[in-house]
Amino acid sequence: MEYRNLRVALLGGGSVGAQVARLLLEQGPELANRVGATLELVGIAVRDVNAERSVDLPRELFTTNAEELILGADIVIELMGGVEPARSHILLAISSGADVVTANKALLALHGSELFAAANQVGAQINYEAAVAGAIPIVRPLRESLAGDQIKRILGIVNGTTNFILDRMDTEGSSLEDALAEATALGYAEADPTADIGGYDAAQKAAILASLAFHTTVPLSSVYREGITSVTSAQIESARKAGYVVKLLAICERVTDENGVDGVSARVYPAMVPRNHPLAAVHGANNAVFVEAESAGSLMFYGAGAGGVETASAVLGDVVSIARRHVAGGPGVAASSYAALPVFDIGRVTTRYAVTLEVTDEPGVLATIASVFSKRMVSLALVEQSMTPAVMATQSRAARSATATLVIGTHDATEAALAATVQDLATNSVVSEVASVLRVEGV
């Protein structure tokens, strides 16, 4: 059977780009049968054509002239990473009539609204399944499969490096430093792991997911972010004893504030998750996205969040989808931001806290602590008291009675009220130290 020909330009020949090129070349006839058109890889734009590649590819495909390659393509795959020149290349592709597939989460989080507006203006398509959770299909289910539903909340483990580290701390008793060193040795963490352990990577993905799920432009600057650098082995152990596991979560939520105003929240932080929650069973460097929808209920998407060939699978899925549209005709699916909901700062979000305090062990302490919470209208769900192990091991019997550990769980309250309560506790005369503060999610 004779098919029409679609010219595909690839920008970037790294670990993902090389695998995409390999699959396009090796699976050409099969892909043509699925699409109804041949997908011709016309070139791969790279910085250095002589650099070593993870895959043996035809030398003649490589070029340093990305602009020329783009102008001759029907579909442009951008796997360069970074903001520039990726942004300029994508805008050039759109203006020249090409559709775009990208895995560039940083670019989409910062300039997604600009790129989608340019594509909408000319009826072009931008697909970006691989930008959020590697091989896991989540963008297309949100954009298409759940388009007739209303998304209430998304809880995502969307960074494999941090999940690997926290999982090792939980299952092996490793320190954060040792778990990070292991992640680096295995290739999960970069030489500079700041983007991962600082929560920046997850925040970019949260901005993309929230924008998509709630039909609202959510700027990266509006995503609250905390990384895992302050998570301690003691917090992990305390969570385990209480029946929880600590995960770095990207949380995208449609919320109504105390004034009855509907809005959107997007935030990233380490949180305690009940061990019977599906996200608690996500181990190693895997990713998972837990979606709560009005009609469909709870859904979880799980799998590899990174890796060259795994991510290439998602990229090729986007390419096939776009190619089918070329064959069928018609404009691309426009980005949807009609809702234009306000993006709330974290202070207006309702959540729960687990607070561990070192307090003086004397009569009236519990009442004093309870009054601090009551002042901020925060209701207590759990109070447990025990002697501090470190103190018991080093002090005399008489001195041991001076200090105790108080573990407090709260009911739902606004983040602003909870944060203010913790500040009040830190300056209270009966509190020696606010030893740990973790949010509780998934309950």
Side-chain angles (χ1 to χ4, degrees):
M1 183 179 297
E2 207 155 313
Y3 293 120
R4 63 175 290 189
N5 188 61
L6 295 175
R7 295 166 58 84
V8 179
L10 175 59
L11 311 182
S15 59
V16 178
Q19 292 295 340
V20 168
R22 178 184 66 81
L23 292 172
L24 281 170
L25 294 172
E26 291 181 358
Q27 299 181 13
E30 178 71 16
L31 292 173
N33 288 328
R34 296 177 191 175
V35 171
T38 59
L39 300 175
E40 179 191 1
L41 179 61
V42 294
I44 307 170
V46 294
R47 293 187 182 90
D48 180 4
V49 297
N50 297 313
E52 289 189 14
R53 314 287 170 193
S54 59
V55 176
D56 186 21
L57 298 168
R59 174 67 176 75
E60 61 271 16
L61 284 176
F62 291 96
T63 178
T64 58
N65 193 335
E67 289 80 5
E68 182 179 12
L69 199 61
I70 290 168
L71 293 174
D74 300 299
I75 302 171
V76 174
I77 306 172
E78 184 278 306
L79 300 173
M80 305 172 67
V83 175
E84 287 292 354
R87 170 183 163 276
S88 297
H89 288 337
I90 290 177
L91 288 173
L92 176 63
I94 291 169
S95 66
S96 69
D99 287 335
V100 173
V101 173
T102 180
N104 196 329
K105 55 187 174 292
L107 178 61
L108 291 174
L110 287 169
H111 297 286
S113 57
E114 175 193 15
L115 299 177
F116 293 131
N120 291 348
Q121 191 171 19
V122 299
Q125 181 76 48
I126 300 177
N127 281 6
Y128 52 97
E129 186 67 73
V132 176
I136 301 172
I138 184 60
V139 172
R140 195 171 290 113
L142 289 175
R143 188 165 63 181
E144 298 177 12
S145 304
L146 295 171
D149 210 335
Q150 183 175 87
I151 306 301
K152 297 190 295 183
R153 185 163 70 152
I154 296 172
L155 300 175
I157 297 172
V158 293
N159 182 273
T161 301
T162 51
N163 197 62
F164 178 89
I165 292 169
L166 294 173
D167 187 49
R168 279 294 192 271
M169 294 175 71
D170 178 64
T171 59
E172 306 288 338
S174 302
S175 67
L176 188 146
E177 293 75 17
D178 289 344
L180 173 58
E182 185 180 359
T184 303
L186 292 171
Y188 296 139
E190 301 289 342
D192 179 1
T194 303
D196 294 323
I197 64 175
Y200 296 94
D201 174 84
Q204 292 167 354
K205 295 169 180 176
I208 295 169
L209 284 172
S211 299
L212 180 62
F214 305 121
H215 309 281
T216 294
T217 299
V218 178
L220 179 59
S221 58
S222 296
V223 179
Y224 177 84
R225 176 195 54 79
E226 288 180 23
I228 66 167
T229 53
S230 62
V231 176
T232 66
S233 297
Q235 287 177 317
I236 298 289
E237 177 64 20
S238 178
R240 182 190 302 113
K241 289 180 178 178
Y244 293 85
V245 62
V246 178
K247 298 290 187 182
L248 182 70
L249 297 181
I251 303 170
C252 309
E253 191 172 18
R254 183 166 181 155
V255 294
T256 302
D257 73 1
E258 55 191 3
N259 299 316
V261 177
D262 290 332
V264 171
S265 167
R267 54 200 193 269
V268 169
Y269 46 61
M272 293 167 53
V273 177
R275 287 194 178 267
N276 61 0
H277 193 282
L279 288 176
V282 179
H283 297 294
N286 286 313
N287 282 196
V289 182
F290 189 81
V291 178
E292 298 174 12
E294 188 70 37
S295 299
S298 297
L299 308 166
M300 192 166 92
F301 303 82
Y302 168 85
V309 68
E310 293 88 350
T311 305
S313 169
V315 171
L316 261 294
D318 278 347
V319 171
V320 167
S321 176
I322 280 178
R324 284 172 172 166
R325 187 188 69 80
H326 274 271
V327 172
V333 178
S336 173
S337 58
Y338 72 88
L341 294 168
V343 182
F344 290 164
D345 63 62
I346 193 168
R348 297 164 73 181
V349 171
T350 298
T351 185
R352 299 183 182 188
Y353 272 17
V355 183
T356 302
L357 305 173
E358 300 297 331
V359 300
T360 55
D361 191 24
E362 59 187 24
V365 166
L366 289 177
T368 300
I369 296 299
S371 69
V372 174
F373 282 86
S374 177
K375 173 187 171 184
R376 298 292 182 178
M377 304 298 290
V378 177
S379 175
L380 303 184
L382 169 72
V383 179
E384 292 183 352
Q385 182 175 354
S386 63
M387 293 301 296
T388 307
V391 172
M392 294 181 69
T394 59
Q395 292 187 340
S396 66
R397 177 175 296 181
R400 286 174 193 170
S401 63
T403 307
T405 299
L406 200 61
V407 180
I408 300 171
T410 75
H411 286 296
D412 288 342
T414 65
E415 176 77 22
L418 289 165
T421 301
V422 171
Q423 289 181 345
D424 292 346
L425 291 168
T427 58
N428 193 283
S429 60
V430 304
V431 177
S432 304
E433 179 188 8
V434 179
S436 169
V437 179
L438 281 174
R439 297 170 182 88
V440 181
E441 298 288 350
V443 293

